[in-house]
Amino acid sequence: MQHFLNSSYTVPMPKDIRLETLIQPYCKIQSFRPKTRFLELGDSLDGVYYVFRGRTKHYILGEDGAEKILYTLSARWFFGETPLFLHEPTGLISETMESSVLWKLPFPVYTRLFNENVLFRSAIMNCMSRKMLILRHEIEHLVFSPCKQRIMQLLCSTVDTKSCEEGNWYNLFTHYTQYEISTIVGSARVTTSKLINELCSDGFIRILNRKIQVSQKAYEDFVAGEHLL
């Protein structure tokens, strides 16, 4: 996997019918509208969440109210397993970014399946390991990468290479506002706005109908450059 793909943006996991068939009978199914907070800082969890459809974001707040997204999770990702395992309240705020359906697996069933079922245990460990990599690379990017580079990494990680307009402009899997980009890459909104304008001038991106598209050539050059790191 290219280095930049370990960003806080996550693409959907491969669909596993066996896994969903295994857990669905035990889950409480919850539907949420976009921008719905369903977990607050300090909440105690009594189960693990599975994103059946949609996208969620998980973030912390600074003393000044500034928001920093640690990661966004899309379809077929689990979350909540760490505080549940440690018997601690969650240290994050969790919110839907779009209309989402979440499956909540009760703690007793989660524990039994984790101990007894290899398929389930592998799925949980895969999600935990990937989130650890995300956080490691987030620290690396914040310490070593300029803000403009972090924005480019984020946008390239969201590129849908199967959706290309006019032969040379890639659409993104999801639409981020400039505020959301700021909270993900850890920059001020005014800085993000300035850098977005620079990326437009550079020909790296364009904004069409208020949605960002990435130049096919710029994306391929960026991937090639990151692959060498």
Side-chain angles (χ1 to χ4, degrees):
M1 178 181 291
Q2 284 90 356
H3 184 63
F4 76 89
L5 289 180
N6 294 309
S7 76
S8 57
Y9 177 90
T10 59
V11 297
M13 290 281 198
K15 190 172 182 64
D16 191 327
I17 297 296
R18 295 178 304 158
L19 178 65
E20 292 188 348
T21 300
L22 174 68
I23 66 174
Q24 194 274 336
Y26 304 105
C27 290
K28 178 181 179 182
I29 300 176
Q30 301 172 302
S31 297
F32 296 98
R33 294 181 177 180
K35 299 183 179 180
T36 300
R37 281 193 188 185
F38 56 91
L39 283 177
E40 296 284 354
L41 181 68
D43 281 353
S44 296
L45 275 65
D46 56 3
V48 170
Y49 288 87
Y50 175 78
V51 184
F52 178 71
R53 184 171 63 248
R55 178 171 293 279
T56 61
K57 67 176 180 178
H58 307 266
Y59 60 97
I60 55 178
L61 292 176
E63 292 184 358
D64 59 354
E67 180 182 311
K68 175 64 179 81
I69 294 178
L70 299 186
Y71 44 75
T72 70
L73 301 178
S74 49
R76 295 177 288 282
W77 281 75
F78 286 95
F79 64 91
E81 65 279 7
T82 300
L84 196 65
F85 178 80
L86 296 174
H87 301 287
E88 293 184 359
T90 179
L92 304 176
I93 299 170
S94 297
E95 181 179 317
T96 56
M97 301 182 73
E98 56 190 64
S99 296
S100 302
V101 177
L102 307 181
W103 292 3
K104 186 177 180 182
L105 185 67
F107 179 58
V109 180
Y110 164 79
T111 302
R112 177 173 63 81
L113 291 177
F114 189 86
N115 289 332
E116 299 176 358
N117 190 282
V118 174
L119 174 66
F120 180 77
R121 183 165 60 249
S122 296
I124 292 292
M125 293 305 297
N126 184 39
C127 281
M128 290 183 67
S129 299
R130 286 177 179 270
K131 283 184 282 187
M132 287 178 63
L133 281 178
I134 286 171
L135 296 181
R136 192 191 85 191
H137 287 295
E138 281 295 288
I139 293 171
E140 181 182 349
H141 294 161
L142 288 172
V143 173
F144 298 113
S145 299
C147 187
K148 188 173 182 178
Q149 181 80 3
R150 298 200 300 272
I151 293 175
M152 292 164 68
Q153 289 167 335
L154 172 66
L155 296 178
C156 282
S157 71
T158 71
V159 158
D160 180 3
T161 56
K162 296 181 180 179
S163 178
C164 191
E165 292 193 11
E166 299 177 16
N168 54 1
W169 290 99
Y170 284 135
N171 289 308
L172 306 183
F173 279 109
T174 192
H175 169 61
Y176 281 131
T177 65
Q178 290 192 11
Y179 172 74
E180 288 170 335
I181 292 173
S182 299
T183 61
I184 292 172
V185 303
S187 70
R189 187 170 181 177
V190 63
T191 301
T192 298
S193 179
K194 176 184 176 183
L195 294 175
I196 290 291
N197 288 334
E198 286 185 12
L199 289 172
C200 286
S201 298
D202 295 343
F204 191 89
I205 63 172
R206 72 174 183 178
I207 299 177
L208 187 65
N209 297 324
R210 296 192 295 180
K211 292 187 177 181
I212 295 175
Q213 295 177 330
V214 176
S215 160
Q216 182 182 35
K217 183 179 185 306
Y219 171 81
E220 292 172 352
D221 290 345
F222 189 82
V223 171
E226 287 284 314
H227 186 67
L228 296 176
L229 296 180

